[in-house]
Amino acid sequence: MPAIRKTIDEAEIQRQIELCSRIRAMKNTDGQAGLALVDTYGCQQNEADSEKIRGYLAEMGYGFTQDEFAADIIVVNTCAVREHAEMRVLGNVGALNHTKKAKPEQIICVCGCMVQQEHMTEKIRRSYPIVDLVFGPHELWRFPELLLRVIEKHGRVFATEKDEGAVAENIPLRRDGKVKAWLSIMYGCNNFCTYCIVPYVRGRERSRQPEDILREAEQLVAEGYKDITLLGQNVNSYGKDLDREIDFADLIRMINAIPGEFLIRFMTSHPKDATEKLFRTMAECEKCAHHLHLPVQSGNDRILRAMNRNYDHAAYLKKLETARRLMPDLVVTTDIIVGFPGETEEEFEDTIRLCEQVRYDAMFTFIYSKRNGTPAASMPDPYSREEKQRHFDRLTETANRISGEKHREYEGKSLRVLVDGETGREEYNLSSRTNGGRLVHLKGDPSLIGQFVDVQITASNTWALYGEMKNG
Ligand code: SAH
Ligand code: SF4
Ligand code: F3S
């Protein structure tokens, strides 16, 4: 049964864009084209949101800077996934005291997941008086209206109402690079893993209509983007909330049919919803990268149950086996949490065992961080930070060793890679990615950025491969 899916009227977004023109006109009266700085924390979803914030700011006539003393407006787009992310944000917002003292008319905005939590909004209200505007992810579409309120009233504005979230199309976007692009296909999360704050701050799953996604993908290809990453907290549940028959595999097929040479990537894929149909589609669609980021979180069934992940380690391994049978060259990466409340030595050993079995190309490992308001926050957590750290170090060592071994297997092989940027180093001045997303350093002319080239891998380490361009 499709949930009630709220969309923001196109006329509303149009009105926001008109408000941008009003702000632009107001600024022009004192002859200053202002500068903006957008500082982004957290996941790719937040990067994609920051592109919309920059899109609006550009409509308002702002140029962009990295220098916080030069900026007339600073937008800090925050993350709440772990305590560490929040501490970094608060530290950096606190440091803006200096810039605001030097430039009292500077406007400071804090937005994103962190401020969608009531206790954080309160903290900013009380302890960070330099912050002029606070808005949660659900209010991003009306950033111009909120900013105008700050400018006109010279007062503080807080917009962080509890909301399930909506879908807003046609917000102007300003992307960073010219080679790789993020493309949000859905927002929110319904999974409520017991450790995770995301469903509380990002609202319920909402899919964009396939026509809107396809239009954006076509435009990206026409603009020359070569690497398109489809984004969602769980892309495998794409379409479930739409009142039509479409799933994520169908969407990949539609995007794959766009003419041109480019790669389709996606993240993240929840193991419980990863289907053979998806793997088959990945194998059959020539533009779909053979990379699967399939976060396992733990290799122990009791912990997986306590996390509310809805699969056990055997089901996970079986899915991977199917995927690898269909795509023998599949690159597999994962996320793992160490030190979930009550995780014992033996339970941790199951995670190590699973990693040795799967042999991940890369692993993103985290120490469990207690998040207020989640079910895991009230579970007994008897193990010390030191014990968790010890497990974490052991897992990292395992991860690094396996990555190094996997990378060594590439040596001597020939591959097609996409050159995506410069490294700033003389030897190996270019960076590129394999189809599976592994980093390859190369030496070559910067004009190759944005092109697919054939390389031979000559060396490797834990983090990267090194290659030589083939002649001709
Ligand atoms: N939607 C994605 C993950 C988003 S968060 C998915 O389900 O795969 C990215 C990663 O952060 C998660 O996969 C998890 O490993 C980690 N994470 C989330 N909450 C955490 C917490 N409270 N403590 C430590 N790590 C956490
Ligand atoms: Fe968090 Fe789980 Fe949703 Fe991922 S699937 S965002 S880990 S609740
Ligand atoms: Fe962080 Fe929000 Fe992403 S909590 S990980 S920025 S969805």
Side-chain angles (χ1 to χ4, degrees):
M1 186 210 53
I4 301 162
R5 181 173 162 283
K6 216 167 57 178
T7 51
I8 305 294
D9 219 28
E10 228 182 290
E12 252 312 321
I13 301 301
Q14 210 41 53
R15 191 175 72 88
Q16 297 299 325
I17 294 171
E18 279 157 24
L19 294 179
C20 291
S21 309
R22 225 165 99 194
I23 294 174
R24 181 193 283 254
M26 285 164 75
K27 286 196 296 121
N28 280 351
T29 53
D30 46 11
Q32 296 275 327
L35 289 175
L37 187 159
V38 181
D39 193 11
T40 311
Y41 297 78
C43 64
Q44 292 83 356
Q45 202 71 245
N46 249 22
E47 297 284 347
D49 281 353
S50 285
E51 291 176 346
K52 292 181 184 163
I53 294 167
R54 265 189 250 116
Y56 271 143
L57 287 166
E59 289 286 323
M60 295 170 197
Y62 283 102
F64 294 93
T65 179
Q66 290 300 327
D67 175 1
E68 54 229 15
F69 285 95
D72 298 281
I73 177 167
I74 295 180
V75 184
V76 185
N77 191 5
T78 65
C79 172
V81 81
R82 283 171 291 275
E83 192 184 8
H84 179 70
E86 293 188 328
M87 298 320 283
R88 268 181 62 216
V89 166
L90 289 177
N92 290 348
V93 170
L96 297 178
N97 263 320
H98 301 296
T99 64
K100 193 133 179 170
K101 207 169 267 166
K103 198 170 183 165
E105 73 285 7
Q106 186 176 58
I107 298 174
I108 297 177
C109 313
V110 181
C111 65
C113 297
M114 189 183 92
V115 296
Q116 192 60 36
Q117 308 168 96
E118 232 170 275
H119 69 279
M120 276 299 173
T121 315
E122 275 318 300
K123 193 176 189 119
I124 290 177
R125 202 191 291 275
R126 268 186 282 111
S127 312
Y128 295 81
I130 53 159
V131 176
D132 301 291
L133 169 60
V134 174
F135 62 99
H138 304 312
E139 319 287 339
L140 191 157
W141 64 270
R142 57 189 195 109
F143 168 53
E145 172 190 332
L146 298 170
L147 183 60
L148 191 61
R149 237 192 275 164
V150 172
I151 296 172
E152 285 183 339
K153 287 207 193 139
H154 302 284
R156 305 177 83 192
V157 173
F158 287 78
T160 55
E161 281 78 50
K162 277 209 165 60
D163 197 34
E164 303 267 279
V167 175
E169 292 296 340
N170 301 316
I171 296 178
L173 265 182
R174 175 170 279 231
R175 290 193 158 87
D176 254 351
K178 288 268 162 263
V179 184
K180 298 200 248 187
W182 309 121
L183 205 181
S184 297
I185 63 164
M186 59 190 300
Y187 311 99
C189 181
N190 287 358
N191 291 312
F192 290 95
C193 302
T194 54
Y195 50 80
C196 185
I197 196 71
V198 172
Y200 302 87
V201 294
R202 284 274 175 178
R204 298 291 65 74
E205 279 174 3
R206 290 96 72 197
S207 304
R208 292 177 68 192
Q209 292 290 353
E211 294 76 19
D212 292 324
I213 298 170
L214 209 58
R215 198 166 8 96
E216 193 170 338
E218 280 164 354
Q219 201 183 331
L220 288 172
V221 173
E223 285 170 18
Y225 286 94
K226 296 284 188 268
D227 183 315
I228 299 175
T229 303
L230 310 178
L231 292 182
Q233 292 301 343
N234 175 16
V235 290
N236 296 338
S237 51
Y238 174 78
K240 285 185 182 163
D241 59 319
L242 295 174
D243 50 9
R244 57 204 279 185
E245 279 297 309
I246 183 164
D247 66 15
F248 182 53
D250 301 332
L251 185 71
I252 291 185
R253 227 174 253 288
M254 288 165 72
I255 298 173
N256 190 66
I258 300 172
E261 190 179 22
F262 64 96
L263 281 170
I264 305 168
R265 303 183 187 281
F266 57 86
M267 70 187 323
T268 297
S269 215
H270 194 304
K272 79 174 161 60
D273 304 309
T275 59
E276 179 161 349
K277 177 179 174 188
L278 170 66
F279 303 145
R280 222 169 260 292
T281 305
M282 288 173 73
E284 286 168 11
C285 290
E286 74 286 356
K287 287 166 191 152
C288 192
H290 287 189
H291 173 203
L292 190 60
H293 182 61
L294 200 64
V296 70
Q297 312 297 359
S298 162
N300 176 267
D301 291 345
R302 188 192 73 83
I303 295 291
L304 286 170
R305 225 173 306 120
M307 287 176 163
N308 190 31
R309 289 291 287 180
N310 282 301
Y311 54 83
D312 59 18
H313 84 285
Y316 180 90
L317 289 173
K318 195 146 173 269
K319 291 207 182 186
L320 256 191
E321 197 185 300
T322 309
R324 280 178 161 162
R325 181 166 42 78
L326 292 165
M327 293 170 280
D329 60 344
L330 186 70
V331 166
V332 185
T333 57
T334 201
D335 292 347
I336 290 180
I337 297 177
V338 169
F340 183 81
E343 183 183 58
T344 64
E345 190 82 35
E346 292 76 46
E347 288 167 338
F348 168 71
E349 287 300 332
D350 283 343
T351 298
I352 294 275
R353 209 164 301 131
L354 181 123
C355 295
E356 296 283 5
Q357 220 170 330
V358 173
R359 294 181 58 74
Y360 290 105
D361 294 82
M363 286 162 53
F364 301 87
T365 51
F366 309 101
I367 292 186
Y368 168 75
S369 169
K370 183 172 167 176
R371 304 288 68 207
N372 268 338
T374 62
S378 48
M379 294 179 188
D381 193 1
Y383 295 96
S384 67
R385 176 79 201 187
E386 288 67 37
E387 280 169 286
K388 295 185 183 196
Q389 186 67 45
R390 193 164 48 77
H391 286 170
F392 179 79
D393 292 344
R394 195 135 156 252
L395 184 64
T396 312
E397 253 168 55
T398 308
N400 290 348
R401 174 178 50 76
I402 296 172
S403 285
E405 287 167 6
K406 297 278 282 195
H407 281 169
R408 212 162 310 129
E409 290 166 18
Y410 284 91
E411 290 180 18
K413 287 197 179 149
S414 297
L415 298 169
R416 197 163 175 73
V417 297
L418 172 63
V419 183
D420 59 11
E422 292 184 79
T423 60
R425 280 181 301 156
E426 206 172 314
E427 208 194 1
Y428 297 113
N429 59 320
L430 297 179
S431 68
S432 66
R433 293 272 168 183
T434 68
N435 176 295
R438 308 315 298 148
L439 175 64
V440 183
H441 292 299
L442 295 174
K443 192 172 176 66
D445 195 276
S447 66
L448 291 169
I449 293 172
Q451 290 187 34
F452 289 92
V453 298
D454 294 313
V455 299
Q456 174 143 27
I457 303 301
T458 51
S460 72
N461 59 29
T462 306
W463 317 110
L465 307 170
Y466 295 82
E468 264 168 32
M469 215 100 62
K470 293 216 190 167
N471 294 327

